[in-house]
Amino acid sequence: MESAVISFKPIGTIHTPFTKSAGTPIQPIAAVSVKGHIEVDPEFADGLKDLEGFSHIILIYTFHKADGYSLHLKPFLDDELRGVFATKAPRRPNPIGLSVVRLTRVHGNILDIEEVDMLDGTPLLDIKPFIPTFDNRSSDRVGWYTGKEEKAQDMKADGRFATDE
């Protein structure tokens, strides 16, 4: 099978207080009061119309500081090697991240957000509204994460997946 060439153009930049991966929350649940903002490129600003009506948005972005990829790695919440696709680790074949953050304000092409878990300067690929009816699912199993999900509230990155250290 021939591989397709796919390219994305960032639509903006995510700004956060985190300049190094070490110490950055590993999930938005660990960043409850952490504020940041998104600067959407002016050419895409008209696409923000009506976004202020949502309390949360889904950000799709690149792990721009991730150092290559590994098919097996030790994720933050475990000491065992796991398959990359069974983790949320940033060292992936396609370093794409996804976070649900709180939207607090839209002014012009700037979005004020909270619960940020990404590095300052992260290239933003897309924004989608978070709609609980569509985006929440109950789950009857969470694999190796069982019993570890609550630990994410206190977990910070240690730099193991980034080139910024």
Side-chain angles (χ1 to χ4, degrees), residues 6 18 25 28 60 71 74 82 100 124 128 142 148 156 162:
I6 300 170
F18 307 110
I60 301 168
L71 295 180
K74 285 186 185 177
R82 303 290 181 176
V100 176
L124 179 65
K128 296 182 183 288
V142 293
K148 298 176 183 184
K156 304 290 188 232

Side-chain angles (χ1 to χ4, degrees), residues 90-111:
R91 189 178 286 161
R92 318 181 70 75
N94 291 305
I96 298 170
L98 182 145
S99 294
V100 176
V101 300
R102 175 173 288 284
L103 176 64
T104 59
R105 183 174 168 213
V106 178
H107 46 109
N109 66 322
I110 305 296
L111 307 178

Side-chain angles (χ1 to χ4, degrees), residues 10-110:
I11 64 166
T13 304
I14 304 170
H15 297 283
T16 76
F18 307 110
T19 58
K20 294 191 177 283
S21 62
T24 301
I26 65 164
Q27 291 294 315
I29 195 168
V32 172
S33 63
V34 181
K35 297 179 181 186
H37 71 276
I38 299 167
E39 184 177 352
V40 175
D41 291 347
E43 68 185 288
F44 301 111
D46 283 347
L48 300 174
K49 180 182 180 300
D50 303 316
L51 193 62
E52 70 278 352
F54 296 90
S55 68
H56 289 78
I57 55 177
I58 302 167
L59 304 181
I60 301 168
Y61 52 88
T62 63
F63 290 119
H64 67 297
K65 297 286 186 172
D67 186 17
Y69 72 91
S70 302
L71 295 180
H72 297 101
L73 45 78
K74 285 186 185 177
F76 292 119
L77 295 174
D78 202 26
D79 292 325
E80 291 186 41
L81 283 175
R82 303 290 181 176
V84 67
F85 302 122
T87 77
K88 293 183 169 250
R91 189 178 286 161
R92 318 181 70 75
N94 291 305
I96 298 170
L98 182 145
S99 294
V100 176
V101 300
R102 175 173 288 284
L103 176 64
T104 59
R105 183 174 168 213
V106 178
H107 46 109
N109 66 322
I110 305 296

